[in-house]
């Protein structure tokens, strides 16, 4: 699933770093955890939803 | 390092500490110092909890930071006032999303999305 064609997207290195950093930062919206920690026990669907939205917000994917 | 006694600090001093921690986060992010940034975020959460515990929930004092020149300060103030001023905080997040470059712009956008999805329920 992770390496399947519909789950992999080429993005500029800087955008990758921005999104990666966001995943590691603690935030109030994820219960004071980082998004990565929050998603650890969540479903594949929820992880995918968050990931796609993160790419949209960072201008990598269109809404 | 001497621990900070938040309980003895007046509200104005807590707001100043919140501001200083956000400015530290901004600088740490510019340098790519993620561990330091997270440490400062955790300390900021402690300030938020102390403000929340004060009579009348003094997180409202953070509303004064909405016109701070630093985007990280405005972003964190908006996130941490969603429970006490939901409309104003949401508007501030929308402005940050529309006008600020990464990381603050996308961060504000993700916060709005988690609100709309029901992932984030401010209390």
């Amino acid at each position: 699933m992770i390496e399947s064609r519909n789950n992999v997207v080429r993005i500029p290195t800087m955008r990758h770093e921005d999104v990666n950093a966001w995943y590691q930062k603690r935030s109030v919206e994820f219960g004071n955890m980082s998004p990565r920690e929050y998603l650890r026990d969540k479903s594949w669907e929820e992880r995918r939803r968050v990931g796609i939205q993160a790419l949209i917000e960072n201008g990598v994917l269109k809404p | 390092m001497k621990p900070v006694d938040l309980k003895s600090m007046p509200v104005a001093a807590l707001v100043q500490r919140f501001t200083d921690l956000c400015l530290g986060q901004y600088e740490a992010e510019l340098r790519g110092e993620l561990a330091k940034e997270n440490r400062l975020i955790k300390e900021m959460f402690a300030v938020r909890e102390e403000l929340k515990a004060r009579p009348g929930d003094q997180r409202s004092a953070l509303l004064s930071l909405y016109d701070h020149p630093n985007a990280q300060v405005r972003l964190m103030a908006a996130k941490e006032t969603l429970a006490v001023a939901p409309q104003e905080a949401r508007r501030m997040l929308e402005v940050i999303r529309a006008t600020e470059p990464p990381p603050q712009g996308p961060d504000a956008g993700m916060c709005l999305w988690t609100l709309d999805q029901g992932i984030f329920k401010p209390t």
Side-chain angles (χ1 to χ4, degrees):
Chain A
M1 279 198 296
I2 293 172
E3 298 295 336
S4 73
R5 276 182 171 268
N6 69 354
N7 193 53
V8 175
V9 60
R10 288 178 69 88
I11 66 176
T13 301
M14 192 173 278
R15 290 284 177 238
H16 177 266
E17 288 174 4
D18 287 342
V19 174
N20 198 38
W22 176 82
Y23 264 99
Q24 297 180 76
K25 270 184 238 186
R26 292 174 178 268
S27 62
V28 62
E29 55 263 43
F30 292 104
N32 298 343
M33 294 182 278
S34 68
R36 184 161 282 138
E37 287 173 301
Y38 170 84
L39 289 168
R40 200 158 276 152
D41 62 349
K42 298 297 183 292
S43 68
W44 169 254
E45 288 73 26
E46 183 158 0
R47 293 184 191 200
R48 193 157 192 272
R49 275 194 316 138
V50 171
I52 286 174
Q53 191 63 31
L55 292 176
I56 290 171
E57 292 297 334
N58 279 275
V60 175
L61 294 177
K62 288 182 183 173
Chain B
M1 195 179 291
K2 201 173 160 185
V4 177
D5 182 14
L6 297 177
K7 292 201 179 308
S8 68
M9 290 171 80
V11 170
L14 288 169
V15 172
Q16 186 59 55
R17 178 165 174 81
F18 185 96
T19 304
D20 293 341
L21 289 168
C22 292
L23 292 171
Q25 292 162 26
Y26 182 82
E27 291 297 326
E29 192 278 329
L30 283 176
R31 296 194 190 102
E33 294 172 345
L34 190 54
K36 180 175 182 178
E37 193 178 357
N38 267 332
R39 181 176 59 77
L40 295 171
I41 289 171
K42 204 174 165 187
E43 291 183 40
M44 183 196 71
F45 290 158
V47 173
R48 170 245 287 157
E49 288 301 313
E50 181 58 36
L51 285 167
K52 186 178 177 182
R54 296 288 175 96
D57 189 342
Q58 293 301 310
R59 285 179 290 177
S60 51
L62 298 174
L63 294 170
S64 65
L65 299 179
Y66 278 18
D67 59 1
H68 194 281
N70 184 278
Q72 184 69 8
V73 174
R74 294 196 305 276
L75 172 67
M76 291 303 177
K79 285 191 184 188
E80 299 296 352
T81 52
L82 278 163
V84 295
Q87 289 181 331
E88 296 90 329
R90 186 176 178 104
R91 207 170 302 127
M92 176 58 54
L93 288 168
E94 288 168 351
V95 168
I96 293 169
R97 178 179 188 249
T99 61
E100 294 294 336
Q104 287 82 20
D107 196 329
M110 285 305 294
C111 184
L112 289 165
W113 183 80
T114 60
L115 284 167
D116 295 340
Q117 294 295 310
I119 293 171
F120 180 27
K121 294 175 180 145
T123 56

